[in-house]
Amino acid sequence: MSKTNRGNFFEDFSVGQVIRHATPRTVTVGDVSLYSALYGTRFAVQSADSFAQAIGYPRAPVDDLLVFHVVFGKTVPDISLNAVANLGYAGGRFLAPVYPGDTLTAVSEVIGLRENSNGQSGVVYVRSVGFNQDGTEVLDYVRWVMVRKADTSRPAPETVVPKLPAALAPDALGGAVPLLDIEGWRNDLAGSEARFADYQVGERIDHVDGMTVEEAEHMIATRLYQNTAKVHFNQFTEGQGRFGRRLIYGGHVISIARALSFNGLANVFHVAAINGGRHVAPLFAGLTVHAWTEVLDAQPLPGREDVGALRLRTIATKDRLTGDFPAKVATETGEDYDPSVILDLDYWALIPR
Amino acid sequence: MSKTNRGNFFEDFSVGQVIRHATPRTVTVGDVSLYSALYGTRFAVQSADSFAQAIGYPRAPVDDLLVFHVVFGKTVPDISLNAVANLGYAGGRFLAPVYPGDTLTAVSEVIGLRENSNGQSGVVYVRSVGFNQDGTEVLDYVRWVMVRKADTSRPAPETVVPKLPAALAPDALGGAVPLLDIEGWRNDLAGSEARFADYQVGERIDHVDGMTVEEAEHMIATRLYQNTAKVHFNQFTEGQGRFGRRLIYGGHVISIARALSFNGLANVFHVAAINGGRHVAPLFAGLTVHAWTEVLDAQPLPGREDVGALRLRTIATKDRLTGDFPAKVATETGEDYDPSVILDLDYWALIPR
Amino acid sequence: MSKTNRGNFFEDFSVGQVIRHATPRTVTVGDVSLYSALYGTRFAVQSADSFAQAIGYPRAPVDDLLVFHVVFGKTVPDISLNAVANLGYAGGRFLAPVYPGDTLTAVSEVIGLRENSNGQSGVVYVRSVGFNQDGTEVLDYVRWVMVRKADTSRPAPETVVPKLPAALAPDALGGAVPLLDIEGWRNDLAGSEARFADYQVGERIDHVDGMTVEEAEHMIATRLYQNTAKVHFNQFTEGQGRFGRRLIYGGHVISIARALSFNGLANVFHVAAINGGRHVAPLFAGLTVHAWTEVLDAQPLPGREDVGALRLRTIATKDRLTGDFPAKVATETGEDYDPSVILDLDYWALIPR
């Protein structure tokens, strides 16, 4: 019996395979404090029991992205330990609120496989679901990741590429938010006068502030999520690798960008869905993240008068201010991301009406 | 509607103006743990429920300076985002105990304005008050800060400089400490035999130990307090700035000095008032903080037999041992701080009689 | 009255002396989160209330090594502030479970003294006991440490060297683990199929993963434990010292090695005893820790069908992969540790049968 987990290789996966991931995790106010200290997040609903209770929550819910990172972390030892690259996310939905004291577990199903033409690796598509201790689904999302083959002589599996939505429909949003008593929402405490109706499709918001990342910070964060991907932690081996440095977990960048976005989106209190996300370029310690957001869409939620949904595209950069430049620039062969761009995230978020 | 907070400039303030600050914050045992891990504080009352209960607290109260930093942090986006310098504190009082689970909010009133003769900036005096979820005042203090003007053509406001006390009177102290059953106080567990009567006015105590500060640490601390001042977090812009480095939040230095002061002041369990404080010089990561304390005064509290008050002056230095040198040295023009001094803090603290 | 603790010197100790250490400490879910974030530990019993409850715990217990570090930290100001070196541990037993909310205190008894022939220092043997708020013993262990003399003219005390067991007997194990309902243990959630019977004496397990340590991390950890040994925190003085750097607390290495050992020992959920431990060489920030474990013994616990005990020897290295090399290498004069080895730890751990 091999006792050490070497992780799965591309040929170890099959479509329809279901993997229950290890290490359930009780999320506590300790995790909430660390999350706050790592990102400086200031959204009032997650920051204060009193604010959350005034609008109908039993207490402050756990930040959506902390939930995402914990669920994601569980999948790493089984899905992406031998990954070459994390290629993308789609169809991510936050389905039920998570409160301190809840315990999260995760299950993934392989929903697609496509071997690369070089026979060295392939793309694995998984739908991962996070559950709380009652078996309630709190989150699901699809990600696809390029995974190495260990045995390149193994024949390619039948190619199955799942149909993935470009964006979730508004009626799929809001499961993690109880019906709110918006009379109790105080703009002054939340930090902004801007409500749902104040955001215009096409509007671009520069989040102004920046955050420099240190090695200790991203490692503390990534371990908090029990994410074990070696590239984040081992300077001895990474120093001899592709970049000569530890890579920062892409989710750390997402959380930094979300925290920076408070300056401009203070009332946008809930990430309801992740339509898609791309880690355009790696981030390393010592670099500074800035971010801007473009409003892609604004939709009411069917049957709800309390909150509306903004579809947002947040772009994060490294070592470049985000005042006014496009995410993509013309190149000889078409267009590509500006070299400073590290994250292109498309998500739905909720805001009081 | 501008959605991004650019902060207030000098000309945006008026005397009598009241600002309710954003982002209420529930302080939890998670915050207490982080505070402990960032400073290594060892005062028994805040460290152990059992010790606190033995003397009459319902449980261990939150460290006074953690309360201060959280309240201070809330004021930053409205008061000091465009600050040139944080000039001083006065009249700070801890008014009610804060326990894990309490939610803090803050309100500031502008109580003074004085434009600088160059017309580029001015000094803003604010009294900030921290409240818990019941509306009880837990802390108030005055600070004054030099803030830039955005529009230098705007005329100077009438100069109003508030009268500030050099020190609080003993009868203003102790609101945050219930009447204690000092029979339950155990010196061995607290770490010192020295009680109120053992400290002499004029006595100087070298705290011996030192603490080197890392970038990750001061940023984690400052974000924990939801303090958003850009100078602490952004190496990309600060690298091009005055110091070429991120500045460490002055409150971080205060907490380090307080934690170091355990060695010599172990029974001095509560900061009751901040009479005045000056961040004499900036601190940067990689430097080491040492501290000493001089006893300025010792007073009973009117009507209380349980505790007495020591007025203390704590001096913190960077990269210099504090065995025996004066805070101020003679110069050609009079006297000035020794170049190693970074903090000069005058406060009242309580100790069992 | 000297108010500053200069620590005890060798001549200050006497056999039979009992020292009650300062600063009781309530361990909370905040501490648990920080511990998790500092080491990335993934053992399911400590990670999730639901997993712990399914096998009969009232809730997830606090990690054994966090308990050890907190108790150890309390002893530092009295025992090892003037230590030249921490020489070893023996006879460490975890006697009762610790849960969030429990308050830990510590008492040490001097059980041996041996002055070095140079008259400059001597070895102090202490048995330290950790208690919870009810006075229940949760941990005891012996350590010996070389301590400087302040007054080298003082005569040597009578030499007393305690008899210490090479290893604890199996019937001394398990006090910190209630009788478990192993039917409720789920291998998939715990992360491994390997139970007690699957481990063979003599088996060696390479834990594969590595962890690079940053200054901020080990200082945050060591302060969390209220361990005040100067060498860990003060670059200003250590920069002029023996190594020119801050030394990392040896317990930090133990916790890293234990967390890495999840990969191969996922079901080994409880450290029941520390038979012996040696910090073979110092670790400094920037270096990467790897670890392997050898199974020294496997024993049932008298009267218990739920769990068995594995005696394990875990070796941690710095900047060297642990795939396949011996801990000790032949030298001209016999054999010595490989220069990469930093920790040699011999302990009993429990695993479901």
Side-chain angles (χ1 to χ4, degrees), chain B residues 29-30 33-34 36-42 47-51 186 188-191 193-194 198-199 203 205-206 208-212 214 216-217 262-264 288 290 319-321, chain C residues 1 3-6 20-32 34 74 77 81 101 103 105 133 215-217 219-221 223-224 226-228 230 233-237 246:
Chain B
V29 291
S33 291
L34 259 168
S36 178
L38 288 163
Y39 304 109
T41 182
R42 289 181 285 150
S47 177
D49 286 336
S50 59
F51 191 96
R186 288 185 48 183
D188 56 354
L189 292 179
E193 295 297 316
D198 298 308
Y199 288 88
E203 182 177 7
I205 300 159
D206 176 19
V208 180
D209 305 315
M211 188 68 66
T212 305
E214 300 294 323
E217 293 170 351
F262 178 87
N263 198 347
T288 301
H290 289 82
D319 277 8
R320 178 161 180 179
L321 300 180
Chain C
M1 175 185 284
K3 301 190 178 70
T4 306
N5 176 30
R6 60 162 206 161
R20 176 162 286 280
H21 305 295
T23 312
R25 171 93 158 80
T26 302
V27 178
T28 71
V29 292
D31 301 312
V32 170
L34 259 167
K74 308 216 157 315
L81 214 55
T103 298
T105 56
Q133 67 283 356
E215 299 280 14
E217 293 170 351
M219 294 202 299
I220 287 173
R223 285 186 300 245
L224 182 71
Q226 297 179 318
N227 178 329
T228 60
K230 301 169 204 292
F233 300 113
N234 192 323
Q235 182 58 38
F236 181 65
T237 51
R246 282 163 277 178

Side-chain angles (χ1 to χ4, degrees), chain C residues 39-62:
Chain C
Y39 304 109
T41 182
R42 288 181 286 150
F43 297 97
V45 169
Q46 288 79 20
S47 177
D49 287 335
S50 59
F51 191 95
Q53 288 162 352
I55 57 171
Y57 282 95
R59 64 185 295 192
V62 172

Side-chain angles (χ1 to χ4, degrees), chain B residues 74-321:
Chain B
K74 309 218 156 312
T75 71
V76 168
D78 299 313
I79 305 299
S80 51
L81 214 55
N82 300 301
V84 181
N86 198 32
L87 298 173
Y89 312 99
R93 298 177 302 166
F94 292 86
L95 299 163
V98 174
Y99 298 103
D102 286 351
T103 298
L104 300 178
T105 56
V107 174
S108 295
E109 181 182 0
V110 179
I111 60 170
L113 288 171
R114 191 187 67 217
E115 184 162 312
N116 288 325
S117 54
N118 64 12
Q120 305 292 310
S121 58
V123 178
V124 180
Y125 296 80
V126 292
R127 173 170 293 280
S128 299
V129 185
F131 297 90
N132 70 14
Q133 67 282 357
D134 302 323
T136 303
E137 296 188 14
V138 299
L139 167 68
D140 76 347
Y141 66 92
V142 173
R143 74 163 164 145
W144 53 106
V145 57
M146 192 184 301
V147 179
R148 276 196 297 278
K149 291 179 76 170
D151 175 0
T152 56
S153 71
R154 291 276 288 274
E158 189 189 356
T159 292
V160 176
V161 175
K163 263 212 171 68
L164 296 171
L168 286 149
D171 64 6
L173 308 177
V177 178
L179 273 182
L180 299 181
D181 174 13
I182 288 300
E183 296 295 312
W185 186 284
R186 288 185 48 183
N187 287 343
D188 56 354
L189 292 179
S192 173
E193 295 297 316
R195 297 283 189 98
F196 178 64
D198 298 308
Y199 288 88
Q200 316 303 325
V201 173
E203 182 177 7
R204 174 176 164 155
I205 300 159
D206 176 19
H207 301 307
V208 180
D209 305 315
M211 188 68 66
T212 305
V213 181
E214 300 294 323
E215 299 280 15
E217 293 170 351
H218 77 81
M219 293 203 299
I220 287 172
T222 309
R223 284 186 300 244
L224 182 71
Y225 314 138
Q226 298 178 319
N227 178 330
T228 60
K230 302 169 204 293
V231 292
H232 307 316
F233 300 114
N234 192 322
Q235 183 57 39
F236 181 66
T237 51
E238 294 309 306
Q240 303 157 25
R242 187 157 44 137
F243 299 108
R245 312 214 34 191
R246 281 163 278 177
L247 261 175
I248 292 175
Y249 164 50
H252 195 64
V253 176
I254 295 177
S255 281
I256 293 172
R258 167 74 177 149
L260 292 175
S261 80
F262 178 87
N263 198 347
L265 298 170
N267 282 329
V268 179
F269 70 101
H270 172 60
V271 174
I274 295 176
N275 295 314
R278 188 168 162 203
H279 298 296
V280 175
L283 180 69
F284 303 105
L287 300 176
T288 301
V289 178
H290 289 82
W292 86 74
T293 294
E294 183 186 348
V295 180
L296 299 180
D297 199 357
Q299 294 289 340
L301 292 198
R304 294 186 72 151
E305 300 297 320
D306 53 346
V307 293
L310 298 177
R311 185 176 167 194
L312 303 170
R313 182 193 186 191
T314 293
I315 303 286
T317 65
K318 55 183 174 190
D319 277 8
R320 178 161 180 179
L321 300 180

Side-chain angles (χ1 to χ4, degrees), chain A residues 44-331:
Chain A
V45 170
Q46 288 79 19
S47 178
D49 286 336
S50 59
F51 191 96
Q53 288 161 352
I55 57 171
Y57 282 94
R59 64 185 295 190
V62 172
D63 193 284
D64 311 300
L65 293 175
L66 174 51
V67 173
F68 177 81
H69 297 324
V70 168
V71 171
F72 184 98
K74 308 215 158 316
T75 71
V76 167
D78 299 312
I79 306 298
S80 50
L81 214 55
N82 300 302
V84 182
N86 198 32
L87 298 172
Y89 312 99
R93 297 177 304 165
F94 292 87
L95 299 163
V98 174
Y99 297 104
D102 286 350
T103 297
L104 300 179
T105 56
V107 174
S108 294
E109 180 181 359
V110 179
I111 60 169
L113 288 172
R114 191 186 65 216
E115 184 162 311
N116 288 325
S117 54
N118 64 12
Q120 305 292 311
S121 59
V123 178
V124 181
Y125 297 79
V126 293
R127 172 170 293 280
S128 298
V129 185
F131 297 90
N132 69 15
Q133 68 282 358
D134 301 324
T136 304
E137 296 187 14
V138 298
L139 166 69
D140 75 349
Y141 66 93
V142 173
R143 74 162 163 145
W144 53 106
V145 58
M146 192 184 300
V147 179
R148 277 195 297 278
K149 291 178 76 169
D151 176 359
T152 55
S153 71
R154 290 276 289 275
E158 190 189 356
T159 293
V160 176
V161 175
K163 263 212 170 69
L164 296 171
L168 285 150
D171 63 6
L173 309 177
V177 178
L179 273 181
L180 300 181
D181 174 13
I182 287 301
E183 295 295 311
W185 186 285
R186 287 185 48 184
N187 287 342
D188 56 355
L189 292 179
S192 172
E193 295 297 315
R195 297 282 190 96
F196 179 64
D198 298 309
Y199 288 88
Q200 315 304 324
V201 174
E203 184 177 5
R204 174 175 165 156
I205 301 159
D206 176 18
H207 300 308
V208 180
D209 304 317
M211 188 67 67
T212 304
V213 181
E214 300 294 323
E215 298 282 14
E217 293 169 351
H218 77 81
M219 293 201 298
I220 287 172
T222 308
R223 284 186 300 244
L224 182 72
Y225 314 139
Q226 297 177 319
N227 178 330
T228 60
K230 302 169 204 292
V231 292
H232 308 316
F233 300 114
N234 191 323
Q235 183 58 38
F236 182 66
T237 51
E238 294 308 306
Q240 302 157 26
R242 187 158 44 138
F243 299 108
R245 313 211 35 190
R246 281 162 279 178
L247 260 175
I248 292 175
Y249 164 49
H252 195 65
V253 177
I254 295 177
S255 281
I256 293 172
R258 167 74 177 149
L260 292 174
S261 81
F262 179 88
N263 198 348
L265 299 171
N267 282 329
V268 179
F269 69 101
H270 171 60
V271 174
I274 295 176
N275 296 313
R278 189 168 163 203
H279 297 296
V280 175
L283 180 70
F284 303 104
L287 301 176
T288 301
V289 178
H290 289 83
W292 86 74
T293 294
E294 183 186 347
V295 181
L296 299 180
D297 198 359
Q299 295 288 340
L301 291 197
R304 293 187 71 152
E305 300 296 318
D306 53 345
V307 294
L310 298 177
R311 185 176 167 195
L312 302 170
R313 182 193 185 193
T314 294
I315 303 287
T317 65
K318 56 182 173 190
D319 277 10
R320 179 162 180 180
L321 300 180
T322 45
D324 190 20
F325 72 98
K328 295 198 175 182
V329 292
T331 65

